[in-house]
Amino acid sequence: MKVFMTGATGFTGSRIVPKILQEGYPLHCLVRKTSDLSGLPADVIQHVGDLNDLPGLIQAMKGCDTLVNTASLGFGHAANIVEAAQAAGIQRAVFLSTTAIFTHLNSKSKKVRLDAEEIIQKSSLDFTILRPTMIYGSQRDRNMSRLIKWLKTIPIAPIFGSGTYLQQPIFVDDVAQAVIQCLHKPATIGKTYNIAGLNALTYNQVIDTISQQMGRKILKLFINHHNLVKFLRFFERLKISLPIKAEQVMRLNENKDFSIMDAQRDFDYRPLSFAEGIQLELTALKTGR
């Protein structure tokens, strides 16, 4: 197996790279001129390029037989990636999508991601699509690490709404392991899987779990999310950037729990519980890793 990978320097991709190398597979990665390459192992073969450059993408992929696409499908590059892979002779492909496609909100990226999945499913590739929930697990994640840093400074957790809607965050290394497992399991070809943490829990329970793992009492401050959304939209119309967006607040007030039974059956998916993952994240934040 000779693997070509996109998104190798990203938060999730950087955790997949060492697992592919541990399998003994030669690894080629597409990197941008502006990418921070300090985290890429020396034995990774780098191809400087851009997902908008179809001829360059085809050339970079030539000689590889497997694609691992961790670059976001939310920016409209799926058609180029699939066309390049097919033209370069790649057969097997694992794509990371997201469970955000199931949101009831009319987000701008939802249609782009749905169209991307359709392009993949209609291709001649032996594809697998993995849809992770919210990914966390180090100082590079954009959700839990920020929340933890806030709570370490100010032990007050703003709860936008009732905090009773379900979440099911997934630890980043569970995503990485799922990619490797799918590459080894022909039963996953032509299928899509929702992958999430072991258990669903309310946002209130998320805060309680972090509080317990930190050994620190956290006060919950409940804020009417309807009023907050109006407030945020007002500033968004004025093009004034705030730390949180109206859409993010609305997303916190819809259930985001998913069955992982198909993944457990087809490739022995065994994710961490949120308590286990948060403990690892707290350790990572303490050590700066």
Side-chain angles (χ1 to χ4, degrees):
M1 190 179 293
K2 193 174 182 180
V3 180
F4 186 88
M5 185 173 171
T6 66
T9 60
F11 166 47
T12 305
S14 65
R15 306 295 276 257
I16 298 173
V17 166
K19 290 187 178 294
I20 292 175
L21 294 175
Q22 285 167 14
E23 295 293 318
Y25 303 142
L27 179 59
H28 294 243
C29 293
L30 184 74
V31 297
R32 295 189 300 268
K33 290 180 181 178
T34 56
S35 296
D36 178 3
L37 306 179
S38 60
L40 277 184
D43 45 354
V44 169
I45 302 166
Q46 301 173 15
H47 299 267
V48 178
D50 190 285
L51 293 174
N52 291 310
D53 177 12
L54 180 58
L57 198 52
I58 295 172
Q59 185 60 38
M61 289 185 182
K62 280 185 177 176
C64 295
D65 53 40
T66 301
L67 169 66
V68 173
N69 187 86
T70 65
S72 173
L73 296 177
F75 296 108
H77 296 124
N80 265 13
I81 294 168
V82 168
E83 185 175 346
Q86 292 176 145
I90 284 176
Q91 292 182 309
R92 185 73 171 102
V94 176
F95 291 85
L96 288 191
S97 183
T98 172
T99 54
I101 63 170
F102 298 113
T103 180
H104 297 297
L105 305 178
N106 190 24
S107 62
K108 292 180 181 178
S109 65
K110 179 179 176 179
K111 184 179 186 309
V112 178
R113 295 180 191 279
L114 286 170
D115 289 345
E117 287 200 11
E118 184 176 4
I119 289 168
I120 295 164
Q121 290 167 347
K122 288 183 176 179
S123 75
S124 62
L125 298 172
D126 290 337
F127 71 86
T128 303
I129 298 174
L130 295 174
R131 301 187 188 115
T133 52
M134 185 191 75
I135 305 172
Y136 71 100
S138 81
Q139 60 185 341
R140 292 188 67 184
D141 82 49
R142 294 178 295 179
N143 298 287
M144 291 301 162
S145 68
R146 291 180 181 178
L147 177 59
I148 289 168
K149 288 173 184 176
W150 168 273
L151 295 176
K152 282 184 176 180
T153 306
I154 305 172
I156 301 174
I159 309 291
F160 306 130
S162 65
T164 56
Y165 287 90
L166 293 172
Q167 322 285 314
Q168 202 168 352
I170 179 171
F171 191 71
V172 63
D173 288 343
D174 287 333
V175 180
Q177 188 59 35
V179 170
I180 300 302
Q181 288 171 301
C182 286
L183 289 176
H184 289 296
K185 296 287 187 178
T188 65
I189 292 175
K191 295 181 181 178
T192 60
Y193 298 93
N194 299 326
I195 54 174
L198 182 63
N199 53 305
L201 58 170
T202 67
Y203 192 67
N204 289 326
Q205 291 172 318
V206 166
I207 299 300
D208 291 341
T209 301
I210 294 173
S211 172
Q212 182 179 20
Q213 296 290 349
M214 289 176 63
R216 187 174 196 188
K217 185 174 177 59
I218 304 295
L219 175 67
K220 298 189 189 79
L221 178 63
F222 293 90
I223 299 169
N224 184 294
H225 78 280
H226 296 292
N227 292 337
L228 180 59
V229 166
K230 291 177 184 177
F231 173 82
L232 293 171
R233 281 179 170 169
F234 172 76
F235 282 95
E236 287 168 8
R237 285 194 293 269
L238 296 176
K239 308 294 183 185
I240 297 174
S241 181
L242 294 175
I244 190 167
K245 298 183 188 242
E247 183 181 312
Q248 290 174 296
V249 173
M250 295 167 71
R251 282 276 289 148
L252 283 170
N253 287 276
E254 61 177 6
N255 287 322
K256 296 185 287 293
D257 59 312
F258 298 88
S259 171
I260 58 174
M261 289 179 62
D262 289 347
Q264 289 173 318
R265 178 195 65 223
D266 287 355
F267 57 92
D268 196 28
Y269 176 63
R270 297 183 183 183
L272 296 177
S273 69
F274 182 68
E276 293 169 322
I278 279 297
Q279 184 57 57
L280 289 173
E281 173 138 16
L282 286 167
T283 301
L285 290 173
K286 185 180 292 186
T287 59
R289 296 177 62 185

